[in-house]
Amino acid sequence: MSGFPIQTYHNFRSSVVPAGKVLIGGNNPVVVQSMTTTRTIDTKATVRQIIQLADAGCEMVRMAVQNKKEARNLENIKNELLKKNYDLPLVADVHFNPDVAVIAARFVEKVRINPGNFIKGNPSKKEYNHDEYGEELKKTEEKLIPLIEICRSNNTAVRIGVNHGSLSNRILVRYGNTPEGMVESAMEFIHIFREYGFELLDLSLKASNVRIMTEANKLMVERMIKEGFYYPMHLGVTEAGAGIDGRIKSAAGIGHLLMLGIGDTIRVSLTEDPVEEIPVAQKLVELYGRKKSPEINTGAIVLRKIREYAENEKLKSPYNVSAGLSEVADFSLEKNYVWHRGKKITGFEKSAFPVKEISEKDIVITRLDYDDDQESVRLRAAAEFAFLQDIYPADGICLENRQASADANAQLSLDILQALGLRFNKAEFIACPSCGRTNFDIQEHLKRVKEKTAQLKGLKIAVMGCIVNGPGEMAGADYGYVGSGRGKINLYKRTSLVRKNIDEASAVEALTDLIRENGDWPE
Ligand code: SF4
């Protein structure tokens, strides 16, 4: 399918983006980024990991920079890399401390700052009048001036990196924890940079919720069109977790936006060795980077007069439909009929989008056909269903990969619906990729938490690397498992800290006890 009758941003982008401004590193149309998990003070380990990432195809690497000492150590890291002939651009990731950003800007190509925590606001304030709001912005501006000056003289770029989980209190009070709030947060900073004539910016608006992330990025581009400027966009789904679910979530967010023509650099964040992120990101660039007409083999399937049956059987929409008999799907299509639990229900028809002549009694399902290895299909189906669902919202999904069984395809459909927050089939795990701030083996702990709790359908459990950003970025999790110190874990019930500094050896058990105590563990 090509030539979608929808608004994409390919043409807009190529008409306004000056060559050279977007590609702060890399030769590809969309640049692949990753982030180290080492401590930035540890030159040897950080250099080793950056080299591993670069050898795997990463074109730009970000590092967590926690204090002035680490900021100064960026010079050693840069020099060591240059000595070994690695000159890929480096990005310093700075939270809470503008002075650290100023030092880092001397040694790296880009500094990422988070508008949500760039200056210390008042987190308990419930209202802001006009003057109070203005005062906070004035303070922000004063703290940004030294950064702007040093970046200008060093030709260092700045990424305004907004995160849904760590918006400033003033934004939360005025705009709420919303995609609109994320855009306003970026705009406040953009206006200050523009006022001082500084243009070497890029933007990111990340969230662990895929639909919030895509919505925020689309709104951001719309806003830039309205204001008459454009800054490159860096894409990522934060805290996507690990394994298949992490890949599906990332593809659903990043792939969808790339298809629309949004995205100049991307990062797939996985709670795994960061090298594992690179082939996933490269695949997404290969599939959708700058392609105006993605080739999607799609259409609709209309299940005639079946809505009442589905509702009587208490089946949950969006429906999972299988091409071929499956135990996992709600409905199976076989020999021109729709089947449910071995029972022949009705007929179905294939159609193109948009579907004509449907009645309220019918159900319209998005069909996606593939003949590819299942690993690629996971990424393609997640991105393409997310994209299509935005244009032609359907009542469900029917995914067929000829190289996989009907059950495997139906399971993948369920995973995609869950990644998009449309239907919950198992517990959802939010997990950060970890960085230099992590003090425990997060990959191992995520695995253990998953083993114990995966069956808790509908619960959201966050496993986060540090208490600096973890609690703020758990994004609506029911329970949080957050690294608090070397080998120590804090537990949260929603946003409240309920157990502190538990030894890591007994933390998973403490989490399951907590879930039981709160009545969320069905016997
Ligand atoms: Fe790093 Fe903490 Fe964010 Fe995890 S939550 S990526 S450890 S800053």
Side-chain angles (χ1 to χ4, degrees), residues 188-420:
E188 287 183 353
F189 274 55
I190 293 171
H191 282 315
I192 297 173
F193 278 100
R194 286 175 67 81
E195 209 175 301
Y196 287 83
F198 187 87
E199 291 279 341
L200 202 53
L201 297 173
D202 70 354
L203 315 174
S204 66
L205 292 89
K206 296 193 182 184
S208 67
N209 179 310
V210 173
R211 289 198 294 166
I212 289 178
M213 174 266 188
T214 45
E215 188 57 25
N217 280 277
K218 288 196 307 184
L219 284 176
M220 188 73 235
V221 172
E222 288 292 343
R223 182 66 173 270
M224 288 197 281
I225 293 173
K226 218 164 136 196
E227 302 249 353
F229 54 70
Y230 178 88
Y231 297 103
M233 302 287 289
H234 170 73
L235 308 181
V237 176
T238 51
E239 291 93 35
I244 292 174
D245 293 334
R247 283 159 177 77
I248 289 176
K249 263 193 180 180
S250 300
I254 297 170
H256 175 179
L257 289 168
L258 287 177
M259 271 187 253
L260 287 172
I262 298 173
D264 301 282
T265 67
I266 66 168
R267 187 219 174 170
V268 170
S269 10
L270 299 174
T271 314
E272 296 178 22
D273 184 324
V275 169
E276 302 296 334
E277 298 175 355
I278 309 305
V280 185
Q282 285 175 323
K283 186 75 189 175
L284 291 174
V285 173
E286 178 198 318
L287 288 167
Y288 309 118
R290 300 278 170 272
K291 282 189 186 159
K292 288 191 185 175
S293 299
E295 290 300 319
I296 307 178
N297 194 358
T298 185
I301 295 175
V302 186
L303 312 186
R304 292 290 177 200
K305 297 184 186 156
I306 201 172
R307 194 173 291 280
E308 200 183 338
Y309 177 88
E311 283 168 7
N312 287 342
E313 290 290 318
K314 300 202 170 18
L315 297 178
K316 284 200 187 104
S317 158
Y319 304 105
N320 179 9
V321 177
S322 163
L325 292 175
S326 161
E327 298 275 308
V328 180
D330 302 314
F331 296 110
S332 299
L333 310 180
E334 175 85 351
K335 298 191 178 126
N336 296 328
Y337 287 99
V338 182
W339 299 77
H340 174 65
R341 294 196 189 129
K343 211 160 99 189
K344 193 158 82 178
I345 314 294
T346 183
F348 69 90
E349 290 148 35
K350 288 190 174 179
S351 153
F353 276 119
V355 182
K356 291 178 191 122
E357 292 170 23
I358 43 166
S359 84
E360 282 178 3
K361 294 177 180 170
D362 304 330
I363 283 175
V364 177
I365 303 291
T366 296
R367 175 182 63 80
L368 284 160
D369 290 346
Y370 302 97
D371 188 355
D372 204 347
D373 66 275
Q374 191 74 339
E375 214 168 301
S376 300
V377 169
R378 275 188 203 116
L379 303 182
R380 292 175 61 188
E384 290 163 13
F385 183 70
F387 174 79
L388 289 164
Q389 193 66 5
D390 214 18
I391 317 165
Y392 303 120
D395 298 305
I397 178 170
C398 176
L399 189 162
E400 184 181 14
N401 176 19
R402 276 174 221 134
Q403 295 184 24
S405 68
D407 281 349
N409 288 328
Q411 183 56 50
L412 176 54
S413 298
L414 286 175
D415 292 344
I416 291 171
L417 294 175
Q418 171 131 0
L420 289 169

Side-chain angles (χ1 to χ4, degrees), residues 112-178:
R112 179 266 171 128
I113 53 172
N114 179 345
N117 59 32
F118 187 70
I119 63 156
K120 226 178 173 175
N122 178 354
S124 51
K125 213 167 153 48
K126 298 273 182 283
E127 261 178 62
Y128 286 79
N129 64 31
H130 182 76
D131 290 347
E132 289 166 334
Y133 202 97
E135 264 165 43
E136 271 208 10
L137 276 182
K138 194 75 209 150
K139 263 193 228 159
T140 303
E141 182 178 335
E142 280 161 15
K143 285 286 183 188
L144 275 176
I145 293 170
L147 180 64
I148 292 172
E149 279 166 6
I150 192 98
C151 286
R152 202 195 317 271
S153 51
N154 284 272
N155 208 25
T156 306
V158 175
R159 182 199 313 163
I160 300 173
V162 176
N163 194 315
H164 178 237
S166 56
L167 294 173
S168 68
N169 190 50
R170 69 173 179 282
I171 288 285
L172 291 174
V173 168
R174 188 167 281 189
Y175 303 98
N177 200 5
T178 57

